[in-house]
Each structure stands twice: as C-alpha cells, then as structure tokens.
Amino acid sequence: MRFTSSVRTHVGLVRGNNEDSAFAGPHMLLVADGVGGHAAGEVASASVAHLLGAMSLLPKPASGESSTPDEDLPVVLREWVDRAHRLLVEGVAADPTRAGMATTLTAVLTDGHTFAMCHAGDSRAYVLRDGGLRQVSVDHTLVQALLDQGRITPAQARVHPYRSAVTRFVDGGDRPDADIVLLDLRPRDRLLLCSDGLTDFVDEGEIRSLLLDATPEEATDNLVRAALVAGGRDNVTCVVGDVLDGELMPWHRRPYFCRMEGAVTDLANLIDPAGHGHAA
Ligand SMILES: [Mn+2]
C-alpha cells in the first residue's frame, strides 16, 4: 500500500507569514505547525518537515524493503523524530534567537504493509472510511486534558480562553513526547492531516462533506477555502492522502510524486539546507 495525495496551504487572511509546513509523498504524509518569534516558527516546522520527508525517500539499507517486520515501523519513526529533535537543538545552538522555537508534528508513514503515526501537538489526523470521519490523533492541549478529566464540557472547550494552549511539541529542548501508534488503514481509506487553522474554524460535519465525492486536489482546495470563508485567522494547511493497493514506489521514482507546501519550500528556513546531517 501507498498514498496518492494532495497538499494545500494558505497564510490566511490575518497573519503576515506562514509557519505551517506540509509534505506528502508516496509513503509519508506530514503536517507541522511552527511557533516561535524571530521567524523561528518557520524554521522549526520547515526543518522537521524536510528531514522526515527526505527520510521517507531513502531506500531501506536492509535486504529488500518488504522484509522489514511490521513492528519495526514505529521504531523507525521514533528514530526520525529524535533526529529531527537533534536538528532543532543544533539550530538553536547555531542561532540563539531561535530559542523557544517549536512545531507540532503529525505524520503518517507506511512500509507498504502497515501504517504508523507520530503525533505531538494540536494538528490533527482524520480517517474517512465508508463515508464516516474519525479523528485518530488526540489533541495535546490544555482543553483536551480538562475534557479528559471531565472538568469542562465540549461546549465550554470551544470557547475556553486557553483553547490554543498546546502541551506537546517538537522543539530544541527535551526529547519530544510524541505519540507513536500504528494505524489500521486499508485501500480506499482517505487520510486528512491538517493544522488547527482548519479545525478551529470548520466543524467536522463540514470537513466530512468536503472530503466526500472529491479528488484529493478538490478536497484540499475546498477545505482551505472553507477555512478562509470562516475568517482565515490562522495559517491553514491540509494534506489529503488516499490509501492505494499497490507496491511501494521504487526509491528513484519517489521524488516525482512528492509535494511540499508552506515554510518548508523556502531553503532559508532549513537549519541544514545542504542536508549534511550534522545532527545525525
Ligand atoms: Mn496554527
């Protein structure tokens, strides 16, 4: 199995810069929403998105790509996230004005048989199957914690003064506390990864209807447009990927099927634009 996908991002109608990054390739889908002053939010999201996206293009060093046992996929993803974290540590050391930069990360990787997701922050992953939409990520936010504890209602959560407070990130500080889980996906499932610039402004009923009966390109266009119609007060990024029955794409063909959008498309935002791998 692999993905066919579309990516769209928009700076929105209020903000002057886009701190979101997205990557979509045959074997990985990813959204990262950066935060931090002095343009460092862009650096965090772009560097993490670029590193993980590039890793998904590598042929596996072992003997044949399909020989890897399924349970290794979360371990692989964990290693990539740790490597991205070390890159951000290095980026802060190189330029202390980047201190405090951070990014959400929601990424799904496949080895052709299984799917693993890593997730930190308030970007989201949804699966559309047989017309039903299901959120498969858990928001790492203060309001989600209060909801889990039964201390507020969903209605109170929507208007909570601290609803934008995110409790987990990938940043240049401690090793990231990302969720890494296997996802049960099969051919004809549709994945949506999105930044909070979509979900803060467009409800899940509308998201579902915009994902139905549309190509990935139409769906991403219509989702981003819906966020703008609703005010567009944040950067908005959507990745829609359909699960295809088929072999992994040979490594030399993968770049032709990859798309990047947002901060990651500007080389000036990459901590290691030459990809020398100092952080490895
Ligand atoms: Mn955002």
Side-chain angles (χ1 to χ4, degrees), residues 5-24:
S5 58
S6 176
V7 186
R8 292 289 185 274
T9 192
H10 197 288
V11 66
L13 303 177
V14 174
R15 302 210 168 169
N17 54 339
N18 194 342
E19 298 184 319
D20 286 1
S21 292
F23 174 92

Side-chain angles (χ1 to χ4, degrees), residues 242-265:
D242 288 341
V243 178
L244 296 182
D245 205 355
E247 299 293 308
L248 284 182
M249 190 169 283
W251 67 271
H252 62 280
R253 287 180 49 78
R254 291 176 197 173
Y256 298 100
F257 294 86
C258 291
R259 296 292 177 267
M260 294 189 293
E261 291 284 349
V264 66
T265 60

